[in-house]
Amino acid sequence: MNFLINTIVKEIGAQSFGVFDDFIVENISIDSRSMQNNSSTLFFALRGQNHDAHNYIAQLIENGVSFFVVDHIPDAAKGKANFLVVENTTLALQKTAKYYRALFCFPTIGITGSNGKTIVKEWLNFLLSPDYSVVRSPRSYNSQVGVPLSVFGINENHDLGIFEAGISSKGEMSKLEAIIQPTIGVFTHIGTAHDDGFDTLEEKIVEKMQLFKNCEVVVLQKNEVIEKYIHQPTFTWSFDDNSGAVFVEVLAQKNNSTSLLIHYNSNSFSITIPFQDTIAVENAMSCICTLLYLAIDENTIADRIQNLYEVEIRLQAKKGINDCMLIDDTYSSDYQSLKMALDFLEQQKFYQKKTIILSDIFQGGLPIEKLYQKVALAIQNNKIDRIIVIGETISKYLKDVSNLISFASTAEFLNRFNTESFQNETILIKGARSFNFDEIVVLLEEKKHETVLEINLDAISNNLNFYKSKIKPGTKIMVMVKAFGYGNGGYEIAKLLEHNKVDYLGVAFADEGIELRKAGIKLPIMVLNPENGSFNAMIAYDLEPEIYSITGLQAFLKLAQKKNIASYPIHLKLDTGMHRLGFESEALDELISLLKNNNFVQIKSVFSHLSASDDVAFATFTELQFERFRTYSEKIITALDIQPIRHILNTSGIFNYSEMQFEMVRLGIGLYGVGNSEIENKNLQNVSTLKSVISQIRIVNEGESIGYGRKHRVEKPIKVATIPIGYADGIRRAWGNEKGYVMIHNQKANILGNVCMDMMMVDITNIDCNPSDEVIVFGKNPSVIDMAKQLETIPYEILTSVSQRVKRVFYR
């Protein structure tokens, strides 16, 4: 989209402050958090019940936005940007959308009704996309703000619009009609949703009909009550009245489908809808009649209709936890929709056991006692095994219903109810929006993730056993699980290591060790980089600190004395050439003096760290480190008359210098399948596989470009897939621009252009694949070793960079 900002100043009745002559609006925004906000953005500072976007204008200016529609200019922003000041920013947004919509002339379908708007919109888009370039409302953008934002999606390539409009009170629909400007109307259903905003049903019908006041036709199921308020030509259908444009007979319902016989224009044809529930059939009929009005061929209609799909919104069947099936209807709670939802539950139930989670019912026109009598009867008629009600009103009126469990609020349910009690059952979750039942759905829904890091626990066990084979039976082993288990996951791997009876775990900071303790890990845990301020917490959680300086030792001894602790285990770090942390030879006498005759601590181990054990070219220096370690440690042991555990070998040291294992070795990156030589790697198994999916596929033509900065220029038509993973997930930007690749169906797909924050684009010209197909980002091929070589870094960095927002999946 783009238009000159000057063209809307008069339209929205704005007073301007700043320079607007040449500014072209390319993006409309109302969300200060959006990454789309930039120097071409016109930002509308909307006010809501719980927010005021004016509070974020200063931040937006810092982020490059310089044009705003406001109801006042914040003091901190005066003189720093350009402002259009209006009385009401929401109304200004609507007027701007009305202006923008008028720039385009093509047929538009306007959809309203109490139920089914989004489903009919999505289905019409699916059915008409082969014939039209369709612009439609995203998701359920049908409100006073959602409709304007939908319209801004129009561009010069569109030749059909499909927009839904929803209202909750009088006077709203005329504003939406002026924005959508529909030429064809579709009315889905009248029900009790938003009854509170109207005095009578007729008043609500009249308000909804305002969407159609300039339409050439209105498509709807035959209904005398509604039709008398429609003053435009109608295209009606019915199951029992043949006086309309279309008469429908139900031939059969089986195998989750419904066969219909359609009578239209003295002709009849059969059609199969891949659903059985009444609402889906009615929504499909709205679509069929719209296509008939648009003169789509009957055979084409029949062919397309049989491929309709479930729209994941409102009444949804989802896989839940503990082998449950969820029916998600968390948008409304009225008696009519309850009956429909119960029908849907019965038709879609996967298990015989049925549970309903139901909020207070909001229904106008019925005395409250009579309403809940009907609710109770409907539930009992459907033989619901367990009834969970949330809300003070419904708890009061259904208190005598058998198998009832009641809660005053959603928060109380979430805090008190044991989710493990849900097992192998179908659960209908139905609540008014104000009850936030979507939180219950999140709690009970089986989690699905497009991008996951899979960790093979069997491979970890294999790699552990390989390194164990390199050491003598009596040698202890410490395994490093710092940095979230090298990016793979801390607790799950620690649990496996505990099962495999390793002797110690190593973490970098106290917080990591505390989390393992809270998760139930009992193994000794050494903290390799403790801060003095964390000593108190370490003692509380039985963590053992590495001591690498005189000041650190003094601080710990002081705390131990204060707490009257005896023989607390500590680990002395010696610097033998790494020059990172540790006691150098000059500090040993003072160290010994502090520890002599001191019973507050016990020297559990003495250790050092090798600088270049992975490179045999530095074997001479490594041998020097061994000699220094032996000398320094023996001096301490002799002076203090102790027998601590000694350890200096890391992963590469275990493989290349196993003869220097002393009493313990430390295993790090090798556990995770990464060695430092071809021979070593041949014995290791891949542990981590980063997977994603294809989000979208498109053809990009010659002369076009791909990604930010137009880094990849297309020389001939290519097929490109977008993958939902980027540098915020840990994929280095340097891996882009054809330096790196992913694997799709065991074939390489080069990364095109810059890696984005959340996405990357790859070349699939010669790969037969589809959206949702699996993508291997790294694993066996490319391995993190391959990636590290290309990026001139180390595998550690690749693994530990995988963001915590990427779901970890552990398997055997």
Side-chain angles (χ1 to χ4, degrees), residues 214-345:
N214 293 308
C215 286
E216 63 190 45
V217 69
V218 180
V219 176
L220 76 158
Q221 186 174 8
K222 198 159 183 56
N223 186 311
E224 291 182 2
V225 175
I226 297 172
E227 288 179 69
K228 70 181 181 181
Y229 296 104
I230 300 177
H231 305 296
Q232 290 71 36
T234 59
F235 190 104
T236 60
W237 63 272
S238 178
F239 290 115
D240 49 31
D241 186 343
N242 61 8
S243 65
V246 173
F247 180 62
V248 190
E249 291 184 74
V250 178
L251 299 179
Q253 286 193 312
K254 60 181 180 179
N255 300 325
N256 293 320
S257 64
T258 301
S259 298
L260 303 175
L261 185 63
I262 309 293
H263 302 278
Y264 171 63
N265 271 353
S266 302
N267 189 26
S268 299
F269 63 98
S270 60
I271 204 161
T272 299
I273 299 168
F275 302 98
Q276 282 187 250
D277 63 283
T278 302
I279 294 177
V281 174
E282 291 179 355
N283 288 335
M285 280 307 308
S286 293
C287 297
I288 291 166
C289 289
T290 304
L291 269 62
L292 288 171
Y293 178 77
L294 291 170
I296 304 296
D297 177 75
E298 296 166 358
N299 292 329
T300 301
I301 294 174
D303 182 57
R304 294 178 186 174
I305 286 290
Q306 66 181 349
N307 293 314
L308 290 180
Y309 52 90
E310 288 189 17
V311 177
E312 288 195 5
I313 190 166
R314 304 195 179 185
L315 271 174
Q316 304 173 63
K318 302 178 178 179
K319 188 168 177 56
I321 61 172
N322 304 328
D323 291 319
C324 290
M325 178 64 71
L326 305 184
I327 305 298
D328 177 4
D329 188 20
T330 55
Y331 278 75
S332 62
S333 183
D334 59 80
Y335 175 64
Q336 194 65 26
S337 67
L338 172 63
K339 291 196 302 180
M340 296 174 181
L342 288 169
D343 287 342
F344 189 77
L345 168 64

Side-chain angles (χ1 to χ4, degrees), residues 572 574 592 603 605-606 629-646 662-663:
L572 299 181
L574 306 178
I592 292 168
I603 312 305
S605 81
V606 178
F629 178 64
R630 190 182 291 108
T631 301
Y632 298 171
S633 62
E634 286 179 355
K635 181 175 182 178
I636 294 170
I637 290 170
T638 301
L640 298 177
D641 191 21
I642 56 175
Q643 292 297 321
I645 299 167
R646 291 174 296 169
F662 291 95
E663 291 81 35

Side-chain angles (χ1 to χ4, degrees), residues 478-611:
M478 173 187 288
V479 179
M480 311 309 297
V481 291
K482 62 181 181 178
F484 194 58
Y486 287 69
N488 292 282
Y491 163 70
E492 294 85 355
I493 292 173
K495 199 70 178 173
L496 175 67
L497 295 172
E498 194 168 53
H499 177 74
N500 279 276
K501 302 187 183 304
V502 304
D503 300 280
Y504 261 93
L505 297 178
V507 298
F509 298 101
D511 288 349
E512 294 175 310
I514 291 170
E515 288 304 310
L516 292 179
R517 284 284 185 254
K518 287 180 177 180
I521 299 300
K522 300 290 194 298
L523 279 175
I525 299 175
M526 175 178 165
V527 181
L528 286 93
N529 190 21
E531 298 163 326
N532 291 358
S534 69
F535 286 153
N536 203 46
M538 291 178 62
I539 292 172
Y541 284 92
D542 192 27
L543 305 175
E544 303 177 15
E546 167 191 307
I547 301 296
Y548 52 81
S549 68
I550 296 296
T551 55
L553 176 60
Q554 289 171 332
F556 193 83
L557 289 173
K558 183 178 180 181
L559 180 63
Q561 183 177 14
K562 181 180 178 181
K563 289 181 172 291
N564 196 28
I565 294 173
S567 302
Y568 196 91
I570 63 171
H571 304 262
L572 299 181
K573 173 74 170 286
L574 306 178
D575 182 3
T576 59
M578 180 78 165
H579 298 315
R580 186 171 62 179
L581 292 175
F583 293 98
E584 296 180 303
S585 60
E586 294 82 0
L588 294 181
D589 289 337
E590 186 177 2
L591 170 65
I592 292 168
S593 176
L594 282 170
L595 291 172
K596 212 162 197 177
N597 302 317
N598 190 315
N599 65 348
F600 295 114
V601 294
Q602 174 192 7
I603 312 305
K604 193 73 175 181
S605 81
V606 178
F607 72 104
S608 188
H609 196 77
L610 298 174
S611 301

